[in-house]
Amino acid sequence: MKTRPAPAPEAFTAGNLTARRIRAEDLAFVQSLMAAPQMHSHKPDPKLPTEAAIAADHGENLSHWERHGLGRYVVMAGDAKIGLCGLSVRRQFPGLNLSYHLRRRTRVKDGQAS
């Protein structure tokens, strides 16, 4: 019998960064982050996704938590959102997929990003 692992934490802290479970209201941030060309330069076909594709992926990330008990987090430096990270189940890959997407040149001083 296959057992489901305990759900991932809603949030965690590492050094001066905090990561919290992604929310529906993060869509504008996700749109701005994932529209950046450098977020796709590692892909075999690095074309930029449309706003609709980013929104659909965001919806998938939200429902992923409900289905699997884990997923993407928004990475924060103080009150500033600086990226995404997380684990996901992907049908095309065995095991878990680890991903991260961070804004370039984010400096953190006194707990605030600039």
Side-chain angles (χ1 to χ4, degrees), residues 12 17-20 29 72-86 99-102:
F12 62 91
L17 300 176
T18 299
R20 62 150 175 83
F29 168 71
R72 280 212 169 144
Y73 292 89
V74 172
V75 180
M76 305 193 56
D79 294 332
K81 297 174 185 177
I82 65 166
L84 301 172
C85 71
S99 65
Y100 58 93
H101 306 278
L102 301 171

Side-chain angles (χ1 to χ4, degrees), residues 9 15-16 31 39 42 44 52 55-56 61-62 70-71 73 82 89 107-108:
N16 58 0
Q31 289 278 8
M39 295 299 151
H42 66 285
N61 286 324
L62 296 172
L70 53 82
Y73 292 89
I82 65 166
V89 176
R107 298 190 196 292
V108 179

Side-chain angles (χ1 to χ4, degrees), residues 18-81:
T18 299
R20 62 150 175 83
R21 183 176 169 167
I22 200 165
R23 302 176 186 148
E25 59 268 21
D26 294 319
L27 178 58
F29 168 71
V30 173
Q31 289 278 8
S32 69
L33 180 71
M34 298 311 290
Q38 62 268 26
M39 295 299 151
H40 306 279
S41 61
H42 66 285
K43 296 178 179 178
D45 181 9
K47 70 180 178 188
L48 295 179
T50 64
E51 283 189 22
I54 295 170
D57 190 52
H58 183 66
E60 171 59 27
N61 286 324
L62 296 172
S63 64
H64 188 279
W65 271 96
E66 302 307 317
R67 288 193 316 274
H68 301 288
L70 53 82
R72 280 212 169 144
Y73 292 89
V74 172
V75 180
M76 305 193 56
D79 294 332
K81 297 174 185 177

